[in-house]
């Protein structure tokens, strides 16, 4: 039945690995493509094919949330249901008029296997606050899940009377209509829900199935489903949510940058840049955020801006070795040899005693005709890693 019972008491989980993130992004884009395909097939009256497309989208983990919201949601875990039920029960005692607490308490009871108590809890809540659409909806959801469809339908109808825009009540009402064989009514409600949430593969799938049922009953059917457009307000909310998670752990950006070029759409990195910029508005003196912002700018081909971001990071923290090394590489790639040399030297003084840093510095010395310094840098690289083949070859070529 509609709307799985949500679990309260969420906590932070570990960050996604590059492989997990890559799979997540691919699935999200493939699912969105399948939803768009399903809508086109639905409007063409090809209901079996539309059903297959929407089913594929759901298998891929389709969601009607924006990409930043989706990623942020994947970083959040869930708590234990028995403890949650006790916590929300205390909240209800403290604030009996708080509908959110009453809903969470009932959901916690349901998740703990106490369906009867959950339903009775919501019945009391509805009596106390009969004008709350969400209370009617949640009670209807639990009634439908226990196959009390007649009463559930009344609850969903009441929820829509109070709030005409509640998409979940439209979906649930359609399912109740389907349970009593009223496919035509189900299609009407589902078309209204699909217009509100065109990204949602579940709604598309239900609409295709209801339209097919009408067709099998010999009824005339014509579906007008909507293609999803970018929801800028949802994107903004998602970016704000994701920015706070990245602010707490900026190294999560490494997972994005580990994805090979060409493997994901450039829009992913544009979204990530917007997310970092939002975080920097809150913490303009956060050197690490400037550094990561610079790396994303470089990935987007905006090298001058990338240099500016990393210079800001070093201005805030002159010993920030990662930013110093990044600047060395950026200057080397833009033929600013002296600036690159300076930044690599500063990185080493700040503690970046790494073989590859000495090797890159050796190359810069060599290119400037400073053979002795180049030889010393290559030897230092080999002292750190005696199997560093590139440094071995550079040193041998220098000797010749």
């Amino acid at each position: 039945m509609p709307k799985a019972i949500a679990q309260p008491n969420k906590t932070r989980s570990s960050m996604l690995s590059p492989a997990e993130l890559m799979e997540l992004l691919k699935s999200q884009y493939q699912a969105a493509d399948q939803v768009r395909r399903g809508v086109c097939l639905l409007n063409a009256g090809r209901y079996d094919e539309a059903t297959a497309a929407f089913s594929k989208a759901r298998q891929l983990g389709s969601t009607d949330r924006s990409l930043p919201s989706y990623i942020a949601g994947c970083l959040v875990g869930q708590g234990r249901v028995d403890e949650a039920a006790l916590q929300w029960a205390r909240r209800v005692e403290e604030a009996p008029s708080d509908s959110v607490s009453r809903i969470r308490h009932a959901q916690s009871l349901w998740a703990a296997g106490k369906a009867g108590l959950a339903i009775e809890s919501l019945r009391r809540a509805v009596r106390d606050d009969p004008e709350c659409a969400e209370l009617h909806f949640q009670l209807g959801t639990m009634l439908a899940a226990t196959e009390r469809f007649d009463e559930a339908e009344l609850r969903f109808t009441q929820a829509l009377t109070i709030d005409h825009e509640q998409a979940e009540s439209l979906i649930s009402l359609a399912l109740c209509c389907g349970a009593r064989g009223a496919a035509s009514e189900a299609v009407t409600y589902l078309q209204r829900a699909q217009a509100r949430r065109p990204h949602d593969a579940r709604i598309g799938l239900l609409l295709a199935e209801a339209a097919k049922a009408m067709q099998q009953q010999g009824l005339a059917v014509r579906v007008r489903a909507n293609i999803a457009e970018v929801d800028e307000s949802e994107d903004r909310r998602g970016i704000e949510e994701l920015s706070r998670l990245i602010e707490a752990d900026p190294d999560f950006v490494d997972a994005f940058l580990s994805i090979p070029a060409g493997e994901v759409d450039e829009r992913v990195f544009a979204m990530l840049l917007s997310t970092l910029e939002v975080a920097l508005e809150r913490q303009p003196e956060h050197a690490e955020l400037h550094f990561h912002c610079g790396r994303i700018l470089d990935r987007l081909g905006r090298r001058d801006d990338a240099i500016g971001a990393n210079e800001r990071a070093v201005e805030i923290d002159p010993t920030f070795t990662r930013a110093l090394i990044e600047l060395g590489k950026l200057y080397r790639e833009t033929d600013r040899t002296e600036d690159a040399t300076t930044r690599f030297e500063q990185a080493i003084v700040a503690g970046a005693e790494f073989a590859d840093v000495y090797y890159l510095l050796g190359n810069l010395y060599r290119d400037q005709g400073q053979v002795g310094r180049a030889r010393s840098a290559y030897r230092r690289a080999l002292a750190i890693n005696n199997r560093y083949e590139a440094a071995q070859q550079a040193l041998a070529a220098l000797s010749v």
Side-chain angles (χ1 to χ4, degrees):
M1 286 308 298
K3 192 135 179 166
I5 302 302
Q7 303 296 328
N9 195 33
K10 292 184 175 180
T11 57
R12 275 283 305 280
S13 69
S14 59
M15 287 297 184
L16 297 168
S17 70
E20 289 170 331
L21 178 62
M22 184 67 201
E23 192 60 34
L24 181 155
L25 292 171
K26 281 185 175 179
S27 294
Q28 175 74 344
Y29 279 117
Q30 289 171 1
D33 287 342
Q34 289 295 327
V35 169
R36 283 191 291 271
R37 182 170 183 271
V39 168
C40 293
L41 291 165
L42 193 55
N43 288 337
R46 294 158 63 179
Y47 303 127
D48 285 334
E49 293 172 80
T51 297
F54 288 125
S55 295
K56 179 65 174 175
R58 296 203 70 194
Q59 290 168 10
L60 289 164
S62 173
T63 170
D64 61 339
R65 303 178 74 189
S66 70
L67 182 61
S69 292
Y70 180 48
I71 294 171
C74 289
L75 302 179
V76 180
Q78 295 182 338
R80 288 178 289 181
V81 296
D82 289 328
E83 290 183 6
L86 290 172
Q87 290 174 0
W88 288 107
R90 294 189 198 104
R91 289 282 297 275
V92 170
E93 289 176 5
E94 294 166 2
S97 61
D98 180 4
S99 61
V100 173
S101 296
R102 302 189 78 159
I103 289 167
R104 295 303 188 208
H105 177 225
Q107 289 177 328
S108 300
L109 289 169
W110 180 279
K114 301 170 183 177
L117 290 175
I119 289 172
E120 185 52 39
S121 172
L122 284 176
R123 287 193 197 282
R124 288 195 300 272
V126 166
R127 284 195 294 270
D128 294 339
D129 188 2
E131 294 304 309
C132 178
E134 188 64 22
L135 285 171
H136 285 282
F137 167 74
Q138 293 292 342
L139 177 54
T141 298
M142 292 184 185
L143 290 165
T146 54
E147 300 188 1
R148 284 177 265 187
F149 298 119
D150 289 344
E151 187 183 353
E153 192 169 338
L154 291 172
R155 294 299 180 184
F156 296 133
T157 300
Q158 184 60 30
L160 285 169
T161 300
I162 298 167
D163 180 1
H164 301 289
E165 299 299 314
Q166 198 178 62
E168 284 294 338
S169 287
L170 288 166
I171 299 166
S172 301
L173 194 50
L175 289 172
C176 288
C177 291
R180 57 180 170 82
S184 178
E185 292 179 55
V187 166
T188 299
Y189 290 125
L190 287 168
Q191 285 202 103
R192 287 171 57 189
Q194 199 274 338
R196 287 162 176 74
R197 294 204 336 226
H199 298 86
D200 197 323
R202 177 175 61 122
I203 298 174
L205 177 60
L206 292 171
L207 182 52
E209 290 174 342
K212 184 179 178 181
M214 275 188 71
Q215 197 175 58
Q216 290 172 340
Q217 292 172 12
L219 300 172
V221 55
R222 180 149 180 84
V223 174
R224 291 282 188 182
N226 294 341
I227 294 285
E229 296 179 358
V230 175
D231 185 342
E232 294 183 1
S233 63
E234 175 61 26
D235 261 4
R236 284 194 295 272
R237 287 192 295 272
I239 284 171
E240 174 67 27
E241 183 181 4
L242 184 58
S243 73
R244 293 188 182 279
L245 292 172
I246 289 178
E247 187 179 312
D249 190 351
D251 285 341
F252 176 52
V253 176
D254 290 332
F256 285 90
L257 292 166
S258 298
I259 298 172
E263 287 292 316
V264 295
D265 197 295
E266 190 176 278
R267 287 173 297 176
V268 171
F269 292 98
M271 173 275 294
L272 187 58
L273 178 62
S274 297
T275 303
L276 286 165
E277 288 170 345
V278 168
L280 280 167
E281 286 176 8
R282 287 193 300 270
Q283 293 205 54
E285 298 302 307
H286 196 308
E288 197 169 356
L289 288 175
H290 284 285
F291 162 69
H292 286 298
C293 192
R295 296 172 74 206
I296 296 298
L297 286 163
D298 184 40
R299 183 68 178 256
L300 289 168
R302 295 168 56 182
R303 193 153 287 168
D304 289 342
D305 292 331
I307 289 171
N310 278 288
E311 287 289 5
R312 179 64 184 135
V314 171
E315 182 182 325
I316 295 167
D317 180 3
T319 64
F320 191 175
T321 56
R322 293 182 73 189
L324 288 165
I325 293 168
E326 187 71 12
L327 279 169
K329 293 176 180 178
L330 288 167
Y331 284 136
R332 178 173 57 87
E333 291 165 2
T334 52
D335 297 323
R336 294 171 61 176
T337 306
E338 291 184 8
D339 290 330
T341 303
T342 299
R343 288 312 191 189
F344 280 132
E345 288 173 343
Q346 290 172 338
I348 289 169
V349 170
E353 293 274 335
F354 307 127
D356 59 337
V357 175
Y358 277 106
Y359 167 70
L360 292 171
L361 184 57
N363 289 345
L364 291 167
Y365 286 145
R366 179 198 62 200
D367 294 344
Q368 295 173 82
Q370 300 177 39
V371 178
R373 300 183 82 177
R375 184 178 290 109
S376 296
Y378 292 141
R379 285 174 175 167
R380 183 61 185 144
L382 289 168
I384 296 169
N385 179 5
N386 60 11
R387 295 183 181 181
Y388 198 159
E389 192 171 317
Q392 291 173 350
Q393 292 173 354
L395 183 60
L398 200 63
S399 297
V400 171

